[in-house]
């Protein structure tokens, strides 16, 4: 049986059980579907929140399928069972810096709970997000950020926190916790929603400066690298997933949620239903992609019933993680050393379209961006304009 190592880790300021094991799709599917485990890029492992119930459920689920190695986890629990959480926000006194390790109290039973004063606030917060129709991903992210905030302020009622105290909390996140700019922005957005959308207070956050975000340029693959990547995927289903993502610039979630009815052979279009931001859109269906999809469909046993790419359970879509693994394996097999994810296929599509002379406004519509500034990032990546600009060094040593 496979050996699974359990360790403690701190993920987004929350105590978690890190689950380490050699690549095993069976165990991976169990963790995802039955335990709702998530993947940590930082720690390169699967993880679940640290609690006695979660550990017991993990042990019961993997019983007979894997051997659990728990030495490191036991050491951590024995060393941290006496930790206490210090007050973070005082009603009148200034905030004193608190070491990050003391933000949450760890015990052998569970992570520190939200105080009774704030239980109703969290419930009301989550319900308002759902009522406003936010996506499950946004609801999960906002609730996680708000929960950390409520755990931090302990017995202080969230509704009574002042803008000045909020500003000091954000400074704490930046200076003491050393959170990245994007994480700080996410936390501010989550708190803005509570104070402005749930409590209907004035737009108090306009007085809180936001840290400037790092402009991250999209990473792309060259045309030759793409050919090697596609050739490396021998399985027709795997090849079809990769071709579909690149040919239309789709997100991984959009690829796996394509339905059979979304393929319009007559009009040569793919219909992308309710993508990010709850936007529908049409994208071009490449004749080459259509040929690949038809060959894939004919080879399927059993054939897809509902979704174009289905998982082990008929009628259910392929998992995002499985699609990402397909890309990762093909990248390694193709000898591509770039640090790039599945989303790089979408970036590559946009950049190559721009290099072929397609107007950035059309690319914006194809990609389904709300803001043209999001699409304009690809102007910094486009190679065609860069290679036509001569360096003064070349001019200096050019032969007469």
């Amino acid at each position: 049986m496979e050996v699974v190592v359990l360790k403690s880790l701190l993920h987004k300021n929350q105590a978690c059980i890190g689950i380490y094991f050699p690549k095993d799709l069976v165990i991976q599917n169990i963790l995802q579907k039955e335990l709702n485990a998530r993947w940590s890029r930082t720690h390169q492992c699967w993880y679940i929140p640290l609690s006695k119930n979660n550990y017991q459920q993990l042990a019961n689920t993997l019983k007979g399928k894997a051997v659990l190695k728990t030495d490191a986890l036991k050491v951590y629990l024995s060393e941290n069972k006496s930790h206490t959480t210090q007050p973070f926000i005082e009603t009148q006194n200034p905030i004193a810096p608190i070491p990050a390790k003391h933000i949450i109290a760890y015990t052998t039973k569970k992570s520190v709970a939200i105080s009774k004063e704030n239980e109703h606030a969290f419930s009301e917060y989550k319900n308002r997000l759902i009522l406003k129709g936010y996506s499950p991903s946004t609801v999960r992210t906002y609730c996680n950020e708000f929960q950390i905030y409520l755990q931090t302020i302990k017995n202080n009622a969230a509704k009574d926190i002042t803008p000045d105290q909020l500003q000091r909390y954000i400074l704490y996140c930046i200076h003491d916790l050393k959170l990245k700019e994007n994480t700080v922005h996410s936390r501010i957005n989550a708190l803005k929603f509570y104070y402005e959308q749930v409590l209907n207070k004035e737009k108090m956050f306009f007085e809180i400066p936001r840290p400037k975000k790092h402009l991250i340029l999209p990473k792309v693959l060259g045309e030759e690298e793409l050919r090697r990547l596609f050739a490396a995927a021998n399985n027709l289903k795997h090849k079809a997933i990769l071709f579909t993502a690149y040919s239309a610039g789709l997100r991984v979630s959009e690829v796996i949620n394509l339905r059979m009815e979304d393929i319009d052979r007559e009009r040569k279009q793919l219909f992308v239903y309710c993508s990010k931001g709850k936007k529908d859109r049409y994208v071009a269906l490449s004749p080459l992609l259509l040929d690949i999809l038809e060959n894939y469909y004919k080879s399927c046993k059993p054939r897809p019933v509902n979704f174009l790419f289905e998982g082990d359970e008929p009628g259910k879509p392929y998992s995002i993680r499985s699609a990402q693994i397909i890309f990762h394996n093909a990248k390694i097999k193709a000898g591509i050393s770039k640090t790039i994810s599945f989303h790089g296929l979408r970036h590559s599509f946009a950049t190559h379209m721009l290099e072929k002379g397609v107007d950035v406004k059309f690319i914006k519509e194809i990609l389904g961006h709300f803001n043209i500034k999001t699409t304009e990032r690809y102007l910094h990546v486009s190679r065609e304009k860069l290679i036509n600009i001569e360096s003064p060094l070349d001019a200096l040593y050019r032969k007469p």
Side-chain angles (χ1 to χ4, degrees), residues 39-81:
W39 176 256
S40 169
R41 290 185 180 180
T42 304
H43 299 281
Q44 290 293 299
C45 71
W46 294 90
Y47 69 92
I48 56 177
L50 175 62
S51 71
K52 185 176 181 179
N53 289 339
N54 280 349
Y55 170 75
Q56 289 178 338
Q57 187 180 359
L58 173 64
N60 292 335
T61 304
L62 294 182
K63 188 175 182 180
K65 302 180 182 70
V67 176
L68 297 185
K69 192 173 179 60
T70 60
D71 296 352
L73 185 61
K74 288 178 180 178
V75 170
Y76 171 81
L77 292 173
S78 65
E79 291 178 350
N80 290 271
K81 61 184 179 182

Side-chain angles (χ1 to χ4, degrees), residues 360-373:
V360 70
K361 293 180 181 178
F362 290 111
I363 298 175
K364 170 185 174 291
E365 296 304 316
I366 294 170
L367 296 178
H369 287 161
F370 279 99
N371 195 323
I372 188 68
K373 289 183 179 179

Side-chain angles (χ1 to χ4, degrees), residues 216-229 246 249 327 331 336-355 363 367 375 377-384 386:
I216 303 174
L217 295 181
K219 294 183 179 180
V220 302
L221 294 172
E223 292 183 351
E224 181 56 36
E225 288 176 317
L226 284 167
R227 291 190 188 95
R228 299 203 321 262
L229 181 82
Y246 173 71
F327 175 85
K331 187 188 78 163
I336 299 170
S337 59
K338 289 180 180 177
T339 303
I340 190 169
S341 67
F342 190 104
H343 203 69
L345 292 173
R346 176 174 163 89
H347 292 324
S348 301
F349 164 85
T351 303
H352 296 164
M353 290 278 282
L354 192 65
E355 290 176 348
I363 298 175
L367 296 178
T375 319
R377 293 182 303 162
Y378 299 106
L379 293 172
H380 297 280
V381 184
S382 179
R383 185 176 63 93
E384 291 301 307
L386 287 176

Side-chain angles (χ1 to χ4, degrees), residues 125-194:
Y125 181 83
K126 185 174 182 179
N127 289 338
R128 185 62 61 90
L129 283 167
I130 295 171
L131 287 171
K132 280 186 167 286
Y134 281 71
S135 70
S137 176
T138 301
V139 171
R140 184 169 56 250
T141 300
Y142 274 35
C143 283
N144 181 59
E145 300 289 7
F146 190 55
Q147 181 182 21
I148 292 171
Y149 169 68
L150 294 179
Q151 290 171 336
T152 303
I153 65 176
K154 294 191 69 182
N155 295 327
N156 297 277
K159 61 183 179 62
D160 297 329
I161 299 299
T162 66
D164 181 58
Q165 289 173 320
L166 282 171
Q167 182 163 328
R168 286 182 292 167
Y169 171 73
I170 299 302
L171 286 172
Y172 170 82
C173 292
I174 296 170
H175 294 303
D176 292 82
L177 299 185
K178 301 188 184 304
L179 300 181
K180 293 183 179 179
E181 292 90 346
N182 286 343
T183 305
V184 174
H185 277 257
S186 176
R187 192 155 298 182
I188 291 176
N189 290 338
L191 296 179
K192 270 176 64 72
F193 184 87
Y194 175 68

